[in-house]
Amino acid sequence: MDIVERFLNYTKFDTQSSEDSNQVPSTDKQLVFARYLKNELEREGLEDVTLNEQGYIYATLPANIKGKVPVIGFISHYDTSPDCSGANINARILNNYNGGDIELSEGIILSPSKFPELLQHTGEDLIVTDGTTLLGADDKAGIAEIIQAMIYLKEHKEIKHGKIRIAFNPDEEIGMGAHYFDVDKFGCEWAYTMDGGDVGELEYENFNAASAKVNIKGISVHPGYAKGKMMNASLLATEFVGMFPADERPETTEGYQGFYHLTGMQTQTEVAKLSYIIRDHDREKFEARKRFIRNVVDQMNTKYGEGTVSIEITDQYYNMKEQIDPQMHVIDLVLKAMQDTGVAPKVKPIRGGTDGAQLSFKGLPCPNIFAGGINFHGPYEFVPVQSMEKAMQVIIKICEHTAHYNS
């Protein structure tokens, strides 16, 4: 089975996760695919293959070299985004893309006029959807690349490598992928998530992240007799929102710029609830953003009475750069592997989070490498075959170079 056949087979499984679930994994259908993967790993000759009740799969490719070699790992998630259906995916291969529009289905066009990144893959073979579902390259492409690389190393014993661990987990798309990841069981000195986008991407900086839940208490009085008595929580909510800087929102920021993002609002006269996420790459600025939103709460309470507005802020994850910087050999090995495989590195910060960020703070340095997919979480998602092959080659080279690494 080659990498394309393997990936296309994976897309047949609906593994959508759910934010509205309290179970782990969040959907039972993820376990259906997890059991399939476990059996596949055993058929392919991987060792120590385990699948726990929470859906975490671990396996080993034993070392074929003696001596002290770091144990490294590769990780991908198998759930797909709740944002778009992952059921009945009808993927097809468009060979030798010519740079024009791609009709996914009647009236649904994948066009370089809207997605100019397509033109960077002219002449390549693109795996696309039929325009009704996502594709699932995020992150089943990563899984296919890791497994295919392990099989290649198994069959090419002339390539020397140390012990390699692989892991596949559920629920990354809802921010829970690393919560139940057993770092001790995994037993690696460092690892890589194969969960990035276009070919060459390498990410070891991400947002510091927090969520904020704001509750506003109003006073409801019959509107005909409300003068001097009513306090409309809906209007207080709009006032609260208006106190935030208009140029520090997701739609007005890029690169290293942080933001406040109003993700939800439920209002009535008597009560209003607001949901925010707070993001910044810089830890000091991140802490300042949390102080700012608390200060807005204080200002509202000074104006309208103590207890009118309350807030609960929860830190979600931190910038993995803090954990990677002292161990830059983890990055140097990737850069060397990319150089050897003819991949131009695109080192950039993640404007989001990754399982690797949480794992890095659990003691497992874990930067993120491209898996090749583009336009994740929607029907215009696609992945070039050549990008998947390059990702597989980078994995192989990392394993090879790590065998010669001296700490």
Side-chain angles (χ1 to χ4, degrees):
M1 185 184 297
D2 66 13
I3 195 169
V4 174
E5 184 181 359
R6 195 177 300 278
F7 170 69
L8 291 175
N9 191 36
Y10 295 165
T11 66
K12 297 174 184 176
F13 291 84
D14 180 9
T15 56
Q16 191 178 47
S17 50
S18 172
E19 294 176 306
D20 300 322
S21 172
N22 293 319
Q23 67 181 50
V24 182
S26 62
T27 54
D28 291 332
K29 56 191 176 184
Q30 291 184 73
L31 280 176
V32 174
F33 183 53
R35 287 190 283 267
Y36 173 87
L37 274 180
K38 176 181 183 290
N39 291 335
E40 181 176 90
L41 291 171
E42 290 172 339
R43 288 195 308 270
E44 297 292 2
L46 276 293
E47 298 185 7
D48 305 323
V49 182
T50 61
L51 167 63
N52 67 19
E53 61 183 12
Q54 295 167 321
Y56 288 73
I57 305 166
Y58 305 95
T60 300
L61 180 67
N64 64 2
I65 187 174
K66 293 182 179 179
K68 190 178 185 315
V69 178
V71 179
I72 64 170
F74 295 91
I75 303 166
S76 287
H77 66 90
Y78 54 77
D79 65 314
T80 60
S81 171
D83 295 341
C84 185
S85 174
N88 302 312
I89 293 172
N90 185 20
R92 66 182 173 94
I93 304 173
L94 178 69
N95 292 309
N96 193 23
Y97 171 59
N98 64 11
D101 289 354
I102 303 171
E103 185 174 24
L104 302 177
S105 57
E106 186 174 356
I108 303 177
I109 308 298
L110 177 58
S111 173
S113 64
K114 188 172 183 179
F115 303 103
E117 56 270 24
L118 271 166
L119 297 177
Q120 298 174 20
H121 299 282
T122 301
E124 297 181 2
D125 306 315
L126 310 185
I127 304 177
V128 300
T129 75
D130 65 359
T132 63
T133 68
L134 49 67
L135 178 62
D138 180 15
D139 189 25
K140 291 170 183 170
I143 296 174
E145 292 153 6
I146 292 170
I147 294 178
Q148 207 69 33
M150 296 304 104
I151 293 169
Y152 187 92
L153 288 171
K154 201 166 169 292
E155 293 176 347
H156 292 78
K157 301 188 186 304
E158 72 276 10
I159 301 175
K160 301 304 178 185
H161 59 83
K163 180 180 177 181
I164 303 163
R165 292 279 281 160
I166 64 175
F168 305 130
N169 60 267
D171 290 340
E172 188 271 350
E173 297 292 0
I174 59 171
M176 298 294 291
H179 281 220
Y180 298 96
F181 193 104
D182 192 333
V183 170
D184 291 336
K185 178 183 178 71
F186 199 43
C188 296
E189 293 190 33
W190 68 84
Y192 302 95
T193 49
M194 301 298 299
D195 193 21
D198 206 354
V199 64
E201 287 186 6
L202 171 60
E203 301 156 328
Y204 63 95
E205 299 181 65
N206 60 277
F207 278 139
N208 296 288
S211 64
K213 303 295 184 184
V214 180
N215 289 286
I216 301 174
K217 295 179 181 178
I219 300 174
S220 181
V221 179
H222 187 292
Y225 308 95
K227 185 174 182 180
K229 301 174 184 176
M230 178 185 286
M231 189 161 65
N232 192 331
S234 295
L235 293 178
L236 296 187
T238 61
E239 182 177 346
F240 185 92
V241 172
M243 295 173 73
F244 284 75
D247 61 347
E248 296 183 24
R249 301 171 180 165
E251 62 267 36
T252 61
T253 55
E254 60 184 353
Y256 285 97
Q257 297 172 323
F259 58 74
Y260 307 93
H261 180 32
L262 177 63
T263 60
M265 176 185 286
Q266 297 176 318
T267 70
Q268 296 175 326
T269 301
E270 192 170 16
V271 64
K273 297 180 183 294
L274 309 178
S275 298
Y276 278 89
I277 60 172
I278 305 165
R279 301 289 188 264
D280 210 296
H281 284 92
D282 184 280
R283 187 66 174 265
E284 290 185 7
K285 292 180 180 178
F286 172 64
E287 298 298 333
R289 289 187 182 281
K290 291 190 289 184
R291 289 194 298 271
F292 172 85
I293 197 168
R294 288 193 180 99
N295 186 51
V296 172
V297 171
D298 291 342
Q299 290 180 57
M300 293 288 289
N301 284 331
T302 298
K303 184 175 180 179
Y304 294 105
E306 192 63 34
T308 301
V309 183
S310 61
I311 189 169
E312 180 180 344
I313 298 177
T314 305
D315 285 0
Q316 296 170 306
Y317 51 82
Y318 302 110
N319 191 345
M320 75 169 92
K321 188 175 188 295
E322 295 179 27
Q323 305 299 312
I324 301 295
D325 272 351
Q327 304 187 65
M328 282 302 290
H329 62 275
V330 174
I331 301 301
D332 294 338
L333 286 164
V334 182
L335 294 175
K336 182 170 175 51
M338 287 185 177
Q339 180 182 19
D340 289 352
T341 53
V343 172
K346 301 173 185 174
V347 181
K348 64 174 190 175
I350 308 171
R351 286 185 62 79
T354 169
D355 282 344
Q358 297 182 51
L359 293 172
S360 293
F361 280 90
K362 291 175 78 170
L364 179 67
C366 196
N368 192 38
I369 301 175
F370 72 94
I374 301 170
N375 296 340
F376 293 155
H377 298 188
Y380 299 102
E381 183 182 6
F382 69 93
V383 60
V385 171
Q386 287 78 5
S387 296
M388 293 175 63
E389 291 171 341
K390 283 293 186 184
M392 182 192 79
Q393 293 165 14
V394 167
I395 293 170
I396 292 166
K397 282 296 181 182
I398 290 171
C399 297
E400 184 178 1
H401 292 321
T402 303
H404 305 291
Y405 170 75
N406 293 314
S407 58

